[in-house]
Amino acid sequence: WAFASLRIQNDALLDATALRLQDPEFLAQLDLQAIANTAWAYAKFGRQEPALMEAMARRLTSKGFLYRARPQNVATVLWAYTTLQVPDPELLQALVAKLKSTNGVDTFNAQDLTMVVGALAKLGIQDEALMAAIGRRVLSSAVLPYLKPRELANIAWAFATIGMGHEEVMT
């Protein structure tokens, strides 16, 4: 994460990290924040590491792991896997289920919602109930006043791309 934030790409370090993180015992020690940060870093560098992404997906989908996931972690993981074009139906199903769970997107901030809805659009996920919940959250007083113009444009693009107009969001 730190190297990606600083835009320092050390391929030897990334290779060694990917290899180390494939060890189930080592990976089991990482929490969701660490895995989300790792996925984000590899996505920022455009590094498709199929074995690493598979190992992290299995950890993320292990029983109860996403239960207490913070919105930022869900958004980051969904964004990273979508950006890297690493399809993992089980992980995607778990993340969408988390988004649709009690409170679902009700605690997401503007940036997290933008990442989520953009990823859903790129994946072509057409879930009316989920998009309606996202639309309501976007229009809430907790989000709408804080949306940057680019985030609002990205959200509108996502709704249009999915082909699910949310009249209030689109006007």
Side-chain angles (χ1 to χ4, degrees):
W1 171 84
F3 282 95
S5 294
L6 295 171
R7 295 184 177 99
I8 299 171
Q9 186 165 344
N10 181 327
D11 290 329
L13 179 61
L14 289 168
D15 291 342
T17 301
L19 187 61
R20 180 71 172 123
L21 288 173
Q22 291 172 53
D23 175 1
E25 289 181 20
F26 184 78
L27 189 57
Q29 298 174 44
L30 299 184
D31 64 9
L32 180 55
Q33 180 72 45
I35 293 173
N37 287 347
T38 300
W40 178 85
Y42 279 84
K44 284 303 260 185
F45 287 133
R47 292 278 305 248
Q48 287 187 327
E49 297 284 344
L52 170 62
M53 300 309 283
E54 168 69 21
M56 290 194 302
R58 294 300 60 85
R59 174 75 172 125
L60 290 164
T61 56
S62 63
K63 186 173 181 170
F65 195 75
L66 290 175
Y67 178 73
R68 293 181 177 242
R70 293 186 345 212
Q72 180 184 17
N73 299 140
V74 173
T76 300
V77 169
L78 184 58
W79 175 87
Y81 275 77
T82 302
T83 298
L84 288 171
Q85 299 178 357
V86 177
D88 192 293
E90 186 180 350
L91 176 59
L92 180 58
Q93 182 179 6
L95 292 171
V96 168
K98 179 67 179 170
L99 292 170
K100 292 171 72 172
S101 67
T102 306
N103 296 329
V105 296
D106 292 343
T107 58
F108 280 55
N109 65 28
Q111 182 180 5
D112 296 335
L113 280 173
T114 302
M115 289 172 65
V116 164
V117 77
L120 295 173
K122 287 178 183 175
L123 294 168
I125 294 176
Q126 297 181 324
D127 185 309
E128 289 185 36
L130 178 56
M131 294 308 289
I134 290 171
R136 284 190 301 276
R137 181 65 179 166
V138 166
L139 296 172
S140 73
S141 61
V143 174
L144 188 59
Y146 304 100
L147 281 170
K148 298 173 187 166
R150 183 180 181 119
E151 291 169 334
L152 189 54
N154 288 343
I155 289 169
W157 168 86
F159 272 90
T161 297
I162 294 172
M164 298 189 136
H166 189 289
E167 188 174 326
E168 294 162 329
V169 170
M170 300 302 279
T171 57

